[in-house]
Amino acid sequence: MPERRGPGGQPPVALTIAGSDSGGGAGLQADLKAFAANGVFGASVVTAVTAQNTRKVAAVVAMEPDFVEAQLDAVLSDLPVAAVKTGMLATAGIVRAVGRRARAGELPNLVVDPVMVASSGDRLLDEDAVDAYREELFPAALLITPNLREAGLLVGRALAGPDDMERAARQLGEAGPAYVLVKGGHLSGDAVDVLYDGRTCTELRATRVQTANVHGTGCTLAATVAAGLARGRDVPTAVSEAKSFVTGAIQGSAGWHLGEGHGPLDHFGWGPRTS
């Protein structure tokens, strides 16, 4: 278990602003598991409710932006939130509402995972919300964590490898986030991510685990980074530790058969790790 800080072993607090996955593998369910597994108390703001399993997203109901803000008011007025992670924001109105709070300095150590498409291929974001991300949320983020498809959508071209990922990371950095992490999980070969710090790009590599159980990897990675930031890590350290955690979680669930599609991760070390 990661070290904890505060009097009496009190854990730091992280907040996820994300959608609910009824299948339990991704979304705020994955975020809260990742927080807990990394020694952080998790609070949540629900942006949307999905009817979802390992195979598909059958239906989505988005919250009204005013209700998202009411949840934010409730959490931020009472809990000492040390880091924030966003996931599925669903609509441009919610993106703008969260962006306003971020620009006002209310969302510390903000990690933005621009969730646009589920592992099943189902779209999870309104078309008009993409510009809202670029213009209103990215400038207030400490780190953004698009995957290959999301980064390609944001920069307007398909990405085919690490060189493309580096160019995309630099382009996305122009929107204002302090750091950009472009995740290459959809490539073949090693699992390669590219971290851009505003000056240089660094590749992070891990041996790919051969399994279909990868539902919630992006959510888990971003949430684990937020947990690290809440515990006082700097961004490069938090990202490196999060990648190792996610690799282990994929290894642990590689042999599971939960559902007929992309199965969930092992957040709590129930299965074997090879490293």
Side-chain angles (χ1 to χ4, degrees), residues 127 130 166 209:
E127 293 282 352
V130 176
E166 178 173 337
V209 181

Side-chain angles (χ1 to χ4, degrees), residues 208-236:
R208 184 173 300 278
V209 181
Q210 299 303 319
T211 178
N213 294 335
V214 293
H215 186 48
T217 49
C219 303
T220 298
L221 180 69
T224 305
V225 172
L229 296 172
R231 289 168 26 236
R233 301 292 198 259
D234 59 27
V235 171

